[in-house]
Amino acid sequence: MIRIWIASLLFLPCVVLAEEKTADGGFVVSADEKAALDETNAQRRAAGLPPLVPNERLFQAARAHSANMARQGRLDHMLDGTDVSTRVRWAGYRLASAAENIAWNSPDAAAALRLWMSSGGHRANILSREFTEIGVAVAVNARGERYWTQVFARSH
């Protein structure tokens, strides 16, 4: 299973969109990742909640999952026998709890957030007081389909 995750990381540079910015944590994120992070925290602010802090390890887990979904052409929380908790642990995050939102073919971060906010379970993840940190990713496959992932977590 670890080989599959590593393989998806090797594939990642081929599918993640390139324009780079710096996250609050000082690591590099794409413009789409930054937009999704900002949109997510705007929803939290509107609900009177504190912002989620970007975490590099959670971004790694989200990127690996988006790349794997794009490579396989499948939108699924469980790929290759791994779930979000496993992928977050593999990224080196000391996990207390985690959740994940995924979306397929939303053209931009705003559209992905509209989709998630219109779904009870996805909305609950975005607005949960349980989570304090986030990782976000989008990957594009050869057909131009976009695979979005949000990973929400709280560490020990």
Side-chain angles (χ1 to χ4, degrees), residues 18-130:
E19 189 178 329
E20 296 179 343
K21 302 200 180 275
T22 303
D24 296 339
F27 56 94
V28 175
V29 298
S30 73
D32 281 328
E33 290 170 341
K34 178 80 167 100
L37 172 64
D38 291 346
E39 292 275 345
T40 300
N41 279 333
Q43 292 294 331
R44 289 179 62 86
R45 269 191 307 281
L49 297 168
L52 295 168
V53 177
N55 180 284
E56 187 169 11
R57 292 180 192 273
L58 297 178
F59 269 77
Q60 290 170 2
R63 288 169 178 163
H65 191 56
S66 283
N68 196 19
M69 288 190 297
R71 183 179 53 79
Q72 293 189 33
R74 288 183 51 207
L75 181 72
D76 203 328
H77 291 285
M78 181 76 101
L79 288 178
D80 306 318
T82 65
D83 62 8
V84 64
S85 295
T86 301
R87 291 188 297 271
V88 167
R89 285 186 184 103
W90 282 354
Y93 187 86
R94 291 183 37 101
L95 175 68
S97 63
E100 178 180 73
N101 286 349
I102 56 176
W104 172 76
N105 228 15
S106 293
D108 55 32
L113 261 293
R114 281 192 303 275
L115 179 73
W116 287 324
M117 291 302 288
S118 69
S119 162
H122 296 102
R123 180 184 184 88
N125 287 340
I126 291 168
L127 300 180
S128 175
R129 293 182 183 278
E130 179 179 359

